[in-house]
Amino acid sequence: MMNRAAGRLISLIREPERISGLSLGDWDELIPPARRAGVLARLALAADRAGGLDAVPEQPRQHLRSALIAAEKQRRDIEFELDRLAETLKGTIGRIVLLKGAAYLAAGLPAAEGRIFGDIDILVPKETLPRVEAVLDISGWRFGEMAEYDRSYYRRWMHQIPPLVHGTRGSLLDVHHTIVARTRRLQLDAAELFRAAVDIPGRPGFAVLAPADMVLHSAAHLLNEAEFDRGLRDLDDLHRLLCHFGRDPGFFPSLLERAAKLDLRRPLYYALRYTTRYLGTPVPPEICNAAELAPPNRVLRAVMDALFEQALLPRYPSGHSTLRELAGLFLYMRAHYLLMPMHILVPHLLRKAYMRRAEQQQQAGVV
Amino acid sequence: MPRSTFYLRTGPFAIHLETREERLREGVPLLYDDGRLIDRPEFCDFHVTVERPVLRRWFRPKTAFHFEGAALFTPSPPEHALPLFEWGLNWAIGMTVNQYLVVHAASLAWGDRALVIPGPPGAGKSTLCAGLASRGWRLLSDELTLLRLDGGGLVALARPVSLKNESIEIIRRFAPEAVFSRPAERTLKGTVALMKPPAESVKRIAEPALPAWVVVPRFTAGAAARLSPRPKAEAFLELAANAINYHVLGAAAFSALGELVDRSLCFDFAYGDLGEAVAGLTALAESASLPQSQGGTAARAT
């Protein structure tokens, strides 16, 4: 079922040392899905380690170099924004808990290597939101353009406030008050996350989630997000986090414990299943199949497996696959279903479809 | 409609295009069949498709540009397929290429010296570019000027020149021998036709070209052609504002553009008549090829 290019890309992420000696034709096949999944710069770093970038034929080497330059630029930008943010929020909140990419970068984790960053994600206690928003507003952060309906949707249901854009720098900032949407039927105690968060040595004012929580957040993100283009990158993030933290013998037991406490057992189950399956992540088998993870029944699991594979793997050569589109749509529906009960979900999706249509008609009018 | 596969070479890049769109199936051979339609190469820099999303195939059909499987832009009427392909390709190059500084500007060469024409839409950049290209200047690029980060040379793409609205008729009259695609009407930029690059530009595509002039054009109906010196710092800012990956390359972009401006004479150029404008710029180029004429005499072409 898996297409050849995607299969090869995954096997190279799994065993980066095999990257040396790829032919021009191999690169021709690998670069499109890698770029699309946001792992081209990681591939470039792997190639550099495996035999040196200079050993890669000229044409693909230019693409790898270009991706490295772009990744370096994003790293520079994030570092700069982190400095600004520390300055801005000093005195407003005790410490800023960084999430996702910015957290990996600030904490110097291997998951930051060659990673594509879109925005900075921070987590602040919910009760500080009004103050935080006011201070950010004074410092030039504005809500991006958004329909009123979407805005109120964020406020009512989401785990974050609407995305912020810096008025002059154009940077993006997501302010979260918890890590999963509040409509998810099972609730999570955000105070737990703050209690366990750890300071980052050398970066006063910043903290990151405790290792287990960081993995759980990444796992929840992998399957409960509606966007799958970066699925392989997200899977690789998880793989890198698990490899890194897993060297501590106490880590996996604590992961199970936190998953139960934060009620994120199912996302963790799938995250472990797919990282080990596709990337060979060294997770002890007794952890993967722990009864504490409350595995899904076989039918449900088979459906998820098929959907995940379809949605995860970048398609090539035509890039366009109806099957992949459908799987993406299904996971989009699933993500929403997890978020909301049906009587909220159905009107929401109808409304979104109507808004999209109106937008398209408006655009068509312009053309 | 049958599906066509094209492999094109344009400057340093190889492109793989899949499409069923009739406008591309006729337009691509028309514009690129000068030795640049190639057999399948081992490696393509850009894999693109122009095809109709499932739901837009029958009722009010629309076609979409896909780069590496992801759709860019909102779908367009199938009649716009050719400009859509050219714009999409520009986008793909602009977003992924960092081995060069990519400047949104036209560039042409006279011998081994090059003229760079940045300018906002409507300033007459493409018209001027097409005019010069049909009077002995070698077309390097209409939309995207590629500047090497080492050595400061320009890299030619010699892709078709995209002409809009009245410019199409102006160039048809100015260069009756020029080859044009069928015009696409009512696009975002009005009516668009693509002009095939002159054969000579394509043949000499690999010849080196070092920037020697930066000219910021401004079309003003009825105005006499007039070059006025532009301070180098301002020329730098104009180019930087038009450099797509300036912020990505950072310091490397800063020094490459600094070098470009240092070695170039920089002008603002008001013009109202294409013939006069082309003659003026050609005189500038010829006067510069005489020894010792790098200075003030070249500054006034009319």
Side-chain angles (χ1 to χ4, degrees):
Chain A
M1 183 123 117
M2 193 188 300
N3 72 88
R4 203 172 90 101
R8 295 194 62 185
L9 177 59
I10 288 168
S11 74
L12 286 175
I13 288 176
R14 185 181 180 142
E15 297 163 87
E17 56 286 355
R18 287 178 39 207
I19 214 163
S20 62
L22 290 182
S23 72
L24 255 186
D26 295 331
W27 285 111
D28 182 66
E29 190 177 66
L30 287 166
I31 286 178
R35 180 152 45 210
R36 179 138 185 223
V39 296
L40 190 55
R42 282 184 177 171
L43 219 51
L45 289 171
D48 199 31
R49 267 183 221 124
L53 263 189
D54 288 334
V56 176
E58 157 85 15
Q59 280 173 294
R61 187 170 73 235
Q62 299 293 6
H63 290 270
L64 297 180
R65 282 243 161 85
S66 290
L68 283 177
I69 291 170
E72 182 50 36
K73 190 259 175 190
Q74 293 185 336
R75 170 188 280 269
R76 229 166 38 223
D77 286 357
I78 297 283
E79 287 283 4
F80 177 82
E81 285 300 344
L82 288 181
D83 273 357
R84 311 278 17 97
L85 214 52
E87 195 65 31
T88 302
L89 292 177
K90 197 159 68 183
T92 306
I93 47 175
R95 50 182 190 170
I96 306 167
V97 179
L98 298 171
L99 301 174
K100 303 187 209 173
Y104 309 153
L105 178 65
L109 295 172
E113 274 187 3
R115 192 178 188 277
I116 303 257
F117 300 89
D119 45 22
I120 294 184
D121 297 272
I122 64 172
L123 179 71
V124 303
K126 193 155 182 215
E127 62 278 10
T128 66
L129 268 182
R131 267 184 296 148
V132 168
E133 283 186 51
V135 171
L136 288 174
D137 184 69
I138 291 168
S139 315
W141 292 95
R142 303 278 178 268
F143 292 115
E145 228 171 272
M146 189 179 269
E148 193 44 49
Y149 175 78
D150 289 335
R151 197 172 302 232
S152 59
Y153 173 84
Y154 262 96
R155 291 290 178 184
R156 230 172 123 190
W157 304 113
M158 294 291 279
H159 48 301
Q160 63 175 89
I161 65 174
L164 290 160
V165 185
H166 193 273
T168 48
R169 300 196 294 272
S171 316
L172 303 173
L173 178 66
D174 279 345
V175 180
H176 303 242
H177 46 82
T178 181
I179 58 170
V180 288
R182 63 206 275 194
T183 46
R184 230 178 131 267
R185 267 151 294 162
L186 302 166
Q187 287 289 341
L188 170 155
D189 181 11
E192 264 303 317
L193 301 170
F194 289 104
R195 261 197 295 280
V198 288
D199 289 336
I200 310 173
R203 288 196 194 248
F206 287 110
V208 291
L209 296 177
D213 295 2
M214 196 186 278
V215 168
L216 288 167
H217 181 212
S218 180
H221 183 72
L222 179 70
L223 283 156
N224 291 358
E225 289 290 312
E227 294 289 333
F228 273 88
D229 259 14
R230 299 266 189 251
L232 186 53
R233 197 249 353 234
D234 292 345
L235 193 70
D236 189 37
D237 280 352
L238 260 170
H239 168 71
R240 285 164 182 252
L241 291 176
L242 289 166
C243 288
H244 181 76
F245 294 133
R247 291 177 311 185
D248 173 357
F251 173 71
F252 284 110
S254 81
L255 186 58
L256 290 185
E257 193 188 308
R258 288 300 276 182
K261 183 145 197 169
L262 296 171
D263 198 16
L264 288 169
R265 289 172 299 175
R266 191 58 66 79
L268 179 62
Y269 172 81
Y270 285 123
L272 297 178
R273 179 172 178 83
Y274 298 137
T275 46
T276 50
R277 167 187 280 197
Y278 291 110
L279 300 178
T281 314
V283 181
E286 69 275 14
I287 299 288
C288 285
N289 298 310
E292 293 101 299
L293 288 181
N297 68 52
R298 285 219 312 272
V299 179
L300 178 57
R301 196 178 69 193
V303 171
M304 277 305 287
D305 285 357
L307 285 174
F308 187 77
E309 182 156 301
Q310 272 303 313
L312 168 74
L313 305 170
R315 285 273 140 184
Y316 175 77
S318 88
H320 200 78
S321 146
T322 310
L323 203 57
R324 180 177 145 86
E325 258 175 57
L326 283 177
L329 182 68
F330 226 85
L331 285 170
Y332 175 80
M333 295 282 292
R334 176 186 174 276
H336 278 76
Y337 170 68
L338 288 176
L339 231 54
M340 313 169 165
M342 271 298 172
H343 69 278
I344 298 174
L345 175 63
V346 171
H348 170 70
L349 289 179
L350 282 174
R351 177 135 193 186
K352 291 300 285 182
Y354 173 76
M355 283 167 65
R356 235 186 328 259
R357 204 180 134 79
E359 199 177 298
Q360 274 176 3
Q361 278 173 346
Q362 217 173 8
Q363 279 177 353
V366 173
V367 180
Chain B
M1 229 175 294
R3 187 182 179 98
S4 293
T5 302
F6 294 106
Y7 296 99
L8 319 173
R9 178 163 294 287
T10 166
F13 305 126
I15 292 131
H16 167 206
L17 163 69
E18 301 267 345
T19 190
R20 290 175 202 276
E21 292 300 341
E22 191 202 332
R23 288 289 186 118
L24 278 169
R25 287 157 40 91
E26 73 178 28
V28 168
L30 179 79
L31 296 169
Y32 286 94
D33 190 13
D34 40 23
R36 294 198 286 172
L37 287 178
I38 52 176
D39 290 335
R40 181 183 176 166
E42 248 193 291
F43 182 87
C44 285
D45 295 274
F46 301 104
H47 295 269
V48 308
T49 63
V50 177
E51 61 190 2
R52 302 180 187 183
V54 180
L55 294 176
R56 307 311 291 264
R57 279 182 201 162
W58 300 278
F59 176 65
R60 284 196 285 182
K62 292 277 175 77
T63 196
F65 181 89
H66 295 83
F67 170 49
E68 297 178 342
L72 308 177
F73 323 125
T74 39
S76 304
E79 297 74 38
H80 300 172
L82 192 55
L84 182 69
F85 164 66
E86 291 288 328
W87 294 335
L89 198 51
N90 286 341
W91 189 96
I93 294 172
M95 296 315 282
T96 62
V97 164
N98 291 320
Q99 65 266 39
Y100 308 117
L101 181 66
V102 184
V103 187
H104 180 228
S107 46
L108 301 109
W110 189 263
D112 59 357
R113 321 187 77 198
L115 162 67
V116 179
I117 314 178
K125 171 171 68 75
S126 289
T127 320
L128 198 54
C129 174
L132 291 164
S134 38
R135 288 289 188 279
W137 287 76
R138 189 153 64 79
L139 172 71
L140 303 179
S141 182
D142 164 38
E143 287 278 347
L144 298 180
T145 289
L146 306 180
L147 175 65
R148 281 187 202 283
L149 297 170
D150 53 332
L154 298 184
V155 175
L157 289 171
R159 280 174 47 213
V161 181
S162 156
L163 293 165
K164 291 125 215 157
N165 305 317
E166 307 85 51
S167 302
I168 302 169
E169 211 29 57
I170 293 174
I171 296 299
R172 271 195 214 279
R173 262 182 280 135
F174 191 74
E177 73 287 355
V179 177
F180 283 89
S181 73
R182 245 200 297 168
E185 282 159 14
R186 289 187 295 276
T187 73
L188 278 173
K189 303 182 182 181
T191 301
V192 174
L194 292 148
M195 186 190 95
K196 182 175 183 170
E200 193 65 10
S201 299
V202 176
K203 211 168 84 193
R204 296 168 55 195
I205 197 165
E207 287 183 20
L210 262 188
W213 309 280
V214 177
V215 168
V216 183
R218 196 178 62 250
F219 174 82
T220 314
R226 188 186 148 77
L227 283 167
S228 37
R230 185 185 179 93
K232 295 211 169 195
E234 280 181 30
F236 181 99
L237 290 178
E238 180 72 29
L239 289 165
N242 281 288
I244 295 164
N245 56 351
Y246 186 83
H247 55 297
V248 178
L249 293 173
F254 180 83
S255 25
L257 270 192
E259 237 178 86
L260 186 158
V261 169
D262 276 345
R263 61 160 56 105
S264 302
L265 296 171
C266 305
F267 302 102
D268 281 304
F269 186 44
Y271 78 96
D273 175 77
L274 184 62
E276 203 191 346
V278 168
L281 291 173
T282 307
L284 171 70
E286 291 198 311
S287 72
S289 58
L290 302 171
Q292 309 288 310
S293 65
Q294 269 267 9
T297 50
R300 189 166 289 237
T302 56

